[in-house]
């Protein structure tokens, strides 16, 4: 019997490779929010009008960093690691869409 539930988990974990200037990217585990197909569609349709920090706070519930996950810490990450917003959001979208494709 398959071990697949017809309802997906409300959260999932995934490592994001945060780019560090002059060094190799550093993996940081994020705890992301799951979404249904309809919720994902609404998320994608509204993503262009939002600030990066707001998008990240909407898609994630935590991370493995020592700093507490919250607006101030996410803003600090985005200020100091310029490519971080892009890789975090792309990883989230990739995880959800890969799951939708059956991978």
């Amino acid at each position: 019997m398959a071990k697949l539930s017809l309802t997906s988990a409300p959260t999932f974990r995934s490592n994001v490779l945060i780019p560090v200037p002059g060094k190799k990217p550093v993996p940081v585990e994020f705890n992301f929010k799951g979404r249904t197909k309809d919720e994902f569609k609404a998320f994608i349709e509204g993503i262009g009008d939002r600030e990066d920090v707001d998008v990240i706070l909407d898609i994630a519930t935590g991370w493995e960093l020592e700093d507490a996950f919250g607006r101030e810490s996410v803003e600090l990450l985005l200020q100091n690691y310029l490519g971080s917003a892009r890789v975090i959001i792309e990883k989230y979208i990739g995880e959800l869409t890969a799951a939708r494709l059956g991978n």
Side-chain angles (χ1 to χ4, degrees):
M1 180 180 285
K3 295 183 180 185
L4 178 70
S5 173
L6 292 180
T7 56
S8 61
T11 61
F12 62 93
R13 294 177 183 262
S14 188
N15 280 323
V16 178
L17 294 175
I18 302 297
V20 178
K23 298 182 180 181
K24 291 183 179 182
V26 175
V28 175
E29 186 177 81
F30 276 77
N31 193 34
F32 288 120
K33 297 176 185 176
R35 292 194 196 293
T36 65
K37 181 180 178 181
D38 292 339
E39 291 168 341
F40 182 70
K41 180 181 177 190
F43 166 74
I44 292 297
E45 289 172 351
I47 199 170
D49 299 332
R50 301 170 72 192
E51 296 292 323
D52 290 340
V53 65
D54 294 321
V55 173
I56 292 169
L57 290 170
D58 184 27
I59 65 176
T61 62
W63 56 25
E64 70 172 350
L65 297 175
E66 291 181 17
D67 300 286
F69 182 80
R71 176 170 289 280
E72 188 175 312
S73 295
V74 172
E75 287 174 342
L76 190 59
L77 174 74
L78 301 181
Q79 282 292 322
N80 289 305
Y81 300 96
L82 303 182
S84 61
R86 181 183 55 80
V87 296
I88 295 166
I89 296 166
E90 285 178 356
K91 180 67 169 193
Y92 177 72
I93 291 170
E95 287 287 329
L96 286 179
T97 56
R100 300 283 182 255
L101 295 173
N103 291 337

